[in-house]
Amino acid sequence: MLLKDIIETQLKIKKMNLLRFGRDFKPDEEIILRDYLAIERTRLANERTLLSYVRSSLYLLLGGIAFFQLEIFPNFKYLAFASLFFSALFFVIGIYRFTLLKKSLKRLYYTFESTNESAKEES
């Protein structure tokens, strides 16, 4: 009976952690070098991801323009419009995700900074 309760409790904890996606992280200690470097790595990875979205968007834009230039195949106009649509969609999604993570990192970093400043003032 006790083992069954422990297993059910652990399964409930795992389910709850899967639903949160890790966006509600609250720092409980002051920032150390390892944490600062992790934030910087995440920031740089966010910039690389934005650049890959922009690159994919530009490739789709060029593909759409190339499909418009093919006069031999008039049915490719639909493919050209779809390519242009997805180009704009990739660009908007990339900008949205970049700003969302950037705001989250700023909030986390400023929370670390405010806890560091308050700890220094108390000392």
Side-chain angles (χ1 to χ4, degrees), residues 34-119:
R34 181 186 63 212
D35 297 332
Y36 177 75
L37 292 175
I39 291 171
E40 285 298 310
R41 277 193 309 271
T42 306
R43 186 181 60 81
L44 291 172
N46 191 27
E47 290 176 6
R48 278 194 313 269
T49 304
L50 173 67
L51 291 175
S52 68
Y53 272 106
V54 170
R55 182 180 60 233
S56 298
S57 174
L58 287 175
Y59 286 151
L60 284 169
L61 179 68
L62 289 174
I65 292 171
F67 284 136
F68 273 125
Q69 298 297 320
L70 293 175
E71 295 175 3
I72 300 171
F73 302 106
N75 293 335
F76 278 6
K77 297 245 187 241
Y78 299 114
L79 189 58
F81 283 123
S83 178
L84 293 177
F85 171 75
F86 283 114
S87 171
L89 184 68
F90 275 24
F91 187 75
V92 169
I93 289 173
I95 296 292
Y96 174 73
R97 291 187 61 177
F98 175 77
T99 55
L100 188 71
L101 186 60
K102 188 174 182 178
K103 286 179 185 178
S104 176
L105 286 175
K106 276 186 180 179
R107 185 174 54 244
L108 181 67
Y109 183 73
Y110 290 142
T111 305
F112 276 141
E113 288 296 314
S114 66
T115 55
N116 283 341
E117 288 176 8
S118 65

Side-chain angles (χ1 to χ4, degrees), residues 9-21:
T9 305
Q10 288 178 349
L11 288 176
K12 288 179 184 177
I13 291 171
K14 286 182 182 180
K15 286 180 185 177
M16 288 190 310
N17 286 338
L18 288 176
L19 295 177
R20 284 191 279 168
F21 299 110

